[in-house]
Amino acid sequence: MNIDFNPSLNDRLFLKNPQSTELGKKIIRESITLMADIGYEQFTFKKLAAEIQTTEATIYRYFVNKHKLLIYLVSWYWNYLEFQMIVQLSNLTDPADKIRKVIDILVWEDNLEIDFGAFDHKALYYITIAEGNKTFLSKDVDENNKDMLYKPFKDLAGRIAGVFSEYNPSYKYPNTLASSVIDLSHLQHYFMHHLPRLSDFAKKKRPKDIEAFLEDLVFKTLG
């Protein structure tokens, strides 16, 4: 299923909105492909410029640095996950079913038939797994937080926390559980592929096993 999804992201993330020009859209598309391929540490605007046959200076007209670009990409992904939850939970009434659907959406590898349109959604998913925590594990975190750059992640976690509270209104820590489940859905995927002793899923590498673990964790925690 192809969905033309184009969220409005915080204008403090960029100097010029990349969605406003064809070149800007190309910068986003190719940055996803390149960063997924070589990783955030090895990614540079010089390498990106070579890929799209432009200059570094051109890319700097859109983004002040690669960290803001990373936050942009990951924020786009969080927005899309929240959009999916709004759509897919709208017809569910049982809070337990909603929790199962939330977890299914978080473990995105099981939902690759849902397309992001022009972007390589699979590559963006893997960027979020490998690099997502770097958006806030930074010395700039407090300043970025004041600029509301993490709002998409907070909105997603808040929506999930609301589902948990619907299931058990007396549970004291829905926000903590929500942010932890999002993080675990990515960490366990990363561990099962790269640090197998930190995961029980490395042998078969099945996303459904991560879903089963998260369901077990959430339902037992919520009681």
Side-chain angles (χ1 to χ4, degrees):
M1 178 173 60
N2 187 287
I3 297 175
D4 186 13
F5 179 74
N6 187 20
S8 178
L9 296 179
N10 192 320
D11 59 13
R12 291 183 177 89
L13 287 172
F14 46 79
L15 300 173
K16 182 177 181 178
N17 187 349
Q19 295 300 320
S20 66
T21 68
E22 288 304 314
L23 177 59
K25 293 175 184 178
K26 188 174 183 180
I27 287 172
I28 297 302
R29 286 197 305 270
E30 295 303 321
S31 66
I32 291 171
T33 301
L34 184 60
M35 196 179 296
D37 183 38
I38 66 175
Y40 176 73
E41 285 80 7
Q42 298 302 317
F43 177 93
T44 65
F45 283 177
K46 183 177 181 179
K47 293 177 182 177
L48 178 59
E51 288 291 324
I52 61 178
Q53 298 182 334
T54 189
T55 64
E56 283 184 79
T58 299
I59 298 173
Y60 277 112
R61 292 191 189 105
Y62 288 86
F63 292 96
V64 68
N65 56 44
K66 72 175 185 178
H67 192 243
K68 287 290 178 64
L69 173 59
L70 176 65
I71 299 174
Y72 181 96
L73 298 180
V74 175
S75 295
W76 200 100
Y77 183 77
W78 297 139
N79 269 288
Y80 194 77
L81 284 195
E82 187 184 17
F83 170 74
Q84 282 297 322
M85 289 182 189
I86 292 170
V87 171
Q88 297 194 43
L89 269 59
S90 62
N91 294 323
L92 300 178
T93 56
D94 185 345
D97 289 338
K98 292 182 181 181
I99 289 173
R100 295 185 187 97
K101 178 54 67 175
V102 163
I103 291 170
D104 179 57
I105 291 171
L106 288 176
V107 184
W108 189 264
E109 202 167 45
D110 273 354
N111 297 280
L112 294 180
E113 75 280 359
I114 302 174
D115 201 343
F116 290 173
F119 294 159
D120 184 339
H121 56 292
K122 190 173 183 179
L124 188 54
Y125 172 60
Y126 294 140
I127 287 173
T128 307
I129 287 174
E131 321 290 358
N133 284 355
K134 294 169 187 173
T135 60
F136 54 83
L137 294 178
S138 161
K139 290 293 186 180
D140 299 328
V141 61
D142 295 323
E143 181 181 350
N144 290 340
N145 190 46
K146 288 178 183 177
D147 288 338
M148 301 181 69
L149 301 191
Y150 306 118
K151 185 176 183 296
F153 181 74
K154 293 179 181 180
D155 289 346
L156 175 66
R159 186 167 297 276
I160 296 172
V163 174
F164 293 164
S165 293
E166 186 179 351
Y167 181 83
N168 182 356
S170 65
Y171 182 65
K172 296 180 180 180
Y173 314 110
N175 293 293
T176 303
L177 182 60
S179 58
S180 298
V181 167
I182 296 170
D183 203 31
L184 278 171
S185 72
H186 291 158
L187 281 176
Q188 284 303 314
H189 185 286
Y190 191 85
F191 290 162
M192 79 177 181
H193 285 285
H194 302 291
L195 298 171
R197 289 180 62 188
L198 298 178
S199 173
D200 293 302
F201 317 120
K203 186 174 182 180
K204 295 182 179 179
K205 294 181 172 59
R206 296 186 306 198
K208 281 294 182 187
D209 292 337
I210 298 178
E211 286 189 34
F213 158 69
L214 292 174
E215 287 184 14
D216 183 71
L217 174 69
V218 169
F219 284 118
K220 285 182 177 176
T221 301
L222 293 175

